[in-house]
Amino acid sequence: MGMGISALLSGLVFGAGLTVSRMIDPSKVIGFLDVAGNWDPTLAVVMAGALMVTLPAFALAKRRVKTLIGHPLTLPAPGQIDTPLIAGAILFGIGWGLGGFCPGPGLAALAFGLGKPLVFVAAMVAGMVGYGFVAKKTNV
Amino acid sequence: MENFTPVSALIGGLMIGLASTFLLWTTGRIAGISGILGGLLSFERTNLRWRAAFVVGLIFGPVLVSEFGPGITPITIDADIPLLIAAGLLVGIGTRLGSGCTSGHGVCGIGRLSVRSLVATVVFMATAAITVFVARHVLAGGV
């Protein structure tokens, strides 16, 4: 099995999981973020369910140097808690709160039609490309 | 809390965890959506194939649920077009600057016990909650 097939399968299950848990619905996400309103804890349960799998699975992966199909397995090295991390998280948080979409659900919501989800995804792509361009110019 | 849907949330969450695990255990890569999409859009010419395959899978995941699964509940997008453009730009710039989003920092980063990812997750969740509070309860007068 090649990396392409693996990634396709993983993406399919990931997108299906976002759909089943209804995290592709911005009103569900904003219901979670709206702690002072009619609070909906659904997103917390989704995160907990995902972590129930990734916590043991990533702990096991730390002991290996190769994947099951022989590719190198290197987890990201521990990084610093620096200004770009915090500033980026703040900008992302504002955008997430305004629209109710983060990157995964935004992309998966394209399956629901090319109106508003496409507007969000196009703007997100523009933001990423713009950031990459500026970062390359300034050599950050 | 009458909107709370814990059973489907747990099932969907487990699926997301399994998908992230499968990607790591086979390809050795982290299922961070902003990193995967950002990599596709960057100037590097490597890793294009698996990243593109993941994004295609992600977009067709909901189709899988509607055709072969329990069906899908319609989604509600309250934000108007200008707001969605602002939201998209902020999400795009913020996730690249901060090196991750809900999947990369949240599900995978916390999953590998990264303090950096935990801090990022707490910061973007708190900022998003404050943003919703201001938009819904301060500016809109409590809708």
Side-chain angles (χ1 to χ4, degrees):
Chain A
M1 186 165 56
M3 287 200 33
I5 299 288
S6 278
L8 181 71
L9 286 173
S10 174
L12 274 171
V13 176
F14 204 111
L18 288 173
T19 310
V20 169
S21 62
R22 296 184 55 198
M23 290 298 101
I24 48 171
D25 185 347
S27 67
K28 285 291 278 183
V29 173
I30 289 180
F32 170 78
L33 295 171
D34 188 11
V35 286
N38 185 17
W39 192 53
D40 175 2
T42 300
L43 190 144
V45 177
V46 180
M47 284 283 286
L51 288 170
M52 277 163 62
V53 182
T54 54
L55 280 167
F58 280 58
L60 281 173
K62 277 181 186 168
R63 301 189 199 159
R64 297 180 63 102
V65 288
K66 292 236 174 204
T67 68
L68 297 175
I69 56 172
H71 291 290
L73 203 169
T74 41
L75 288 165
Q80 288 196 327
I81 297 162
D82 49 14
T83 310
L85 181 84
I86 303 299
I90 289 172
L91 292 178
F92 166 43
I94 296 171
W96 192 27
L98 288 178
F101 274 133
C102 54
L107 285 171
L110 289 175
F112 283 78
L114 298 175
K116 283 182 169 181
L118 185 61
V119 171
F120 172 81
V121 170
M124 176 173 74
V125 165
M128 287 181 169
V129 171
Y131 171 78
F133 190 72
V134 173
K136 199 180 181 194
K137 282 256 170 186
T138 52
N139 229 343
V140 175
Chain B
M1 281 212 276
E2 69 272 12
N3 299 325
F4 189 32
T5 48
V7 177
S8 57
L10 185 63
I11 296 169
L14 291 170
M15 290 168 73
I16 292 167
L18 282 173
S20 307
T21 298
F22 182 72
L23 191 73
L24 181 73
W25 281 11
T26 55
T27 68
R29 304 301 172 140
I30 297 289
I33 316 288
S34 60
I36 292 173
L37 183 64
L40 273 182
L41 300 168
S42 73
F43 300 92
E44 55 175 299
R45 284 284 157 264
T46 54
N47 292 306
L48 289 179
R49 218 171 75 99
W50 77 266
R51 282 176 170 151
F54 184 91
V55 170
V56 169
L58 189 64
I59 295 170
F60 280 91
V63 180
L64 208 66
V65 177
S66 72
E67 294 301 312
F68 305 105
I72 44 182
T73 315
I75 66 173
T76 309
I77 306 169
D78 288 326
D80 58 14
I81 300 294
L83 200 56
L84 281 173
I85 293 173
L89 286 170
L90 285 165
V91 170
I93 296 166
T95 53
R96 294 308 283 155
L97 180 63
S99 312
C101 57
T102 332
S103 52
H105 279 317
V107 173
C108 296
I110 296 176
R112 63 184 175 85
L113 302 174
S114 157
V115 178
R116 178 179 147 89
S117 285
L118 179 66
V119 168
T121 305
V122 169
V123 170
F124 65 63
M125 281 206 175
T127 313
I130 293 166
T131 304
V132 170
F133 181 79
V134 171
R136 281 207 168 173
H137 303 286
V138 180
L139 297 179
V143 178

